[in-house]
């Protein structure tokens, strides 16, 4: 008998670590356009995109789903980063902009393994008072993420499965140890359409654009599976030669998964992590927005 049965498509469960920051005010969208790595100006109200905030050297500080409620209201749904730290850091760049940055402790994220009722692709649906849903489905199956004032019940196994599916689709769930280490190209965030090389300036834009236009991206994400625990920061080796590094890990039942940054061009060879054999798996498509 399965000790961890998969939840039904109607079962909502809490998504630990997912937190919300809101930007509100006359300059909210303009501020987001100037600070974040994707092109907010392309979004219409009711649309969302993957995006992130970079250091001036083009390293990822935080990844998030960016929801454009209106030109005066932009939401950032952070799956891993400390929202208070990110909000405080963003506040330093407000200067004279008319924008209020707030961590929303009253709104909670939950998930379920089923199709959204109305939301589809990059279109989210709903209002704050009743709850907002996003389509998180991809090649691995249908998923719905909900942001609402009521918190769902914990579901450890379901949340772990959700986390693993993020990794399978190439969404790196970065722990604190991997923050400010990797460029968007090294994390293969082009697969999620998560950054722009054509819009105006933003922190790290010069590094991102130069890497893109000069064809200097030499490393990207690889999905690995093992039969023993893996930890972010561990080296991936081939015959004792370091080939890459784990940046995100997850567990789904008996499956141990990891995303590693590795050379895009390399010979096929047996890989291991600290002596544990790992097998490369194909990344799933369909999570780009």
């Amino acid at each position: 008998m399965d000790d961890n049965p998969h939840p039904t498509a109607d079962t909502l469960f809490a998504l630990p670590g997912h937190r919300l920051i809101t930007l509100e005010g006359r300059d909210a969208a303009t501020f987001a356009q100037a600070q974040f790595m994707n092109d907010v100006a392309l979004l219409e109200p009711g649309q969302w995109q993957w995006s992130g905030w970079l250091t001036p050297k083009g390293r990822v500080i935080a990844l998030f789903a960016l929801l454009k409620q209106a030109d005066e209201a932009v939401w950032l749904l952070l799956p891993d980063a400390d929202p208070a730290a990110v909000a405080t850091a963003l506040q330093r760049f407000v200067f004279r902009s008319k924008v209020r940055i707030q961590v929303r402790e009253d709104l909670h994220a939950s998930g379920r393994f089923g199709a959204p009722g109305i939301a589809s692709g990059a279109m989210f649906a709903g209002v704050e008072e009743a709850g907002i849903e996003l389509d998180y489905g991809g090649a691995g199956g249908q998923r719905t993420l909900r942001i609402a004032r009521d918190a769902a019940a914990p579901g450890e196994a379901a949340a772990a499965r959700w986390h693993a599916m993020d990794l399978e689709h190439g969404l790196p769930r970065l722990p604190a140890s991997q923050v400010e280490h990797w460029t968007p190209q090294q994390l293969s965030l082009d697969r999620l359409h998560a950054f722009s090389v054509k819009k105006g300036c933003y922190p790290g834009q010069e590094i991102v654009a130069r890497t893109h236009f000069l064809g200097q991206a030499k490393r990207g994400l690889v999905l690995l599976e093992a039969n023993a625990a893996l930890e972010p920061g561990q080296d991936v080796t081939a015959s004792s030669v370091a080939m890459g590094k784990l940046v995100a890990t997850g567990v789904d039942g008996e499956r141990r998964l990891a995303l590693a940054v590795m050379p895009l061009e390399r010979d096929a060879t047996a890989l291991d992590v600290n002596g544990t054999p790992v097998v490369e798996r194909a990344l799933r498509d369909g999570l780009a927005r």
Side-chain angles (χ1 to χ4, degrees):
M1 181 175 180
D2 191 348
D3 293 329
N4 294 295
H6 286 167
T8 68
D10 295 326
T11 304
L12 279 170
F13 51 88
L15 292 175
H18 286 67
R19 303 288 296 281
L20 190 72
I21 295 174
T22 57
L23 313 179
E24 297 180 333
R26 184 187 68 194
D27 299 326
T30 302
F31 179 82
Q33 178 76 346
Q35 289 298 321
F36 305 139
M37 65 184 184
N38 214 341
D39 197 339
V40 181
L42 295 179
L43 294 180
E44 297 292 336
Q47 293 183 319
W48 69 282
Q49 63 185 198
W50 298 111
S51 191
W53 195 32
L54 308 179
T55 69
K57 294 184 178 180
R59 268 51 181 181
V60 176
I61 299 171
L63 296 172
F64 43 80
L66 184 150
L67 291 68
K68 189 175 185 181
Q69 298 281 1
D71 286 336
E72 297 186 0
V74 174
W75 290 13
L76 312 179
L77 179 64
L78 288 74
D80 299 291
D82 179 348
V86 172
T88 298
L90 283 172
Q91 189 64 45
R92 302 190 187 107
F93 298 93
V94 169
F95 303 118
R96 297 182 180 180
S97 297
K98 301 298 182 182
V99 58
R100 182 166 67 102
I101 301 172
Q102 183 180 12
V103 177
R104 295 294 300 270
E105 303 286 1
D106 59 322
L107 293 174
H108 310 276
S110 58
R112 63 182 179 85
F113 295 107
I118 302 175
S120 178
M123 299 295 300
F124 62 87
V127 294
E128 178 179 333
E129 291 74 17
I132 292 173
E133 64 175 19
L134 285 74
D135 179 3
Y136 261 53
Q142 296 174 328
R143 294 190 295 170
T144 299
L145 187 145
R146 184 170 184 262
I147 302 170
R149 291 177 178 173
D150 55 312
E156 185 176 343
R161 180 185 171 203
W162 184 283
H163 184 111
M165 289 182 71
D166 282 347
L167 301 186
E168 288 181 297
H169 286 87
L171 177 61
R173 299 289 302 273
L174 298 178
S177 65
Q178 300 304 307
V179 168
E180 299 188 23
H181 286 300
W182 310 102
T183 67
Q185 284 97 340
Q186 289 171 337
L187 295 177
S188 297
L189 294 178
D190 53 304
R191 298 184 73 257
L192 301 179
H193 302 166
F195 64 92
S196 172
V197 296
K198 296 180 179 179
K199 77 169 194 172
C201 293
Y202 57 89
Q205 180 268 344
E206 183 178 354
I207 303 298
V208 172
R210 182 187 306 148
T211 301
H212 174 80
F213 290 112
L214 295 182
Q216 295 176 336
K218 305 300 183 185
R219 292 185 290 172
L221 283 186
V222 174
L223 177 65
L224 301 173
E225 184 173 350
N227 59 8
L230 303 171
E231 295 294 336
Q234 290 181 310
D235 288 331
V236 181
T237 58
S239 301
S240 300
V241 177
M243 297 290 291
K245 192 172 290 291
L246 302 186
V247 299
T249 60
V251 177
D252 178 19
E254 297 299 318
R255 304 166 65 224
R256 271 65 174 175
L257 300 176
L259 288 175
V261 173
M262 297 182 63
L264 296 175
E265 296 183 3
R266 63 187 189 281
D267 295 332
T269 185
L271 301 172
D272 69 89
V273 174
N274 197 29
T276 297
V278 293
V279 178
E280 183 174 349
R281 303 298 189 195
L283 287 166
R284 297 183 185 272
D285 294 320
L287 200 56
R289 295 292 181 263

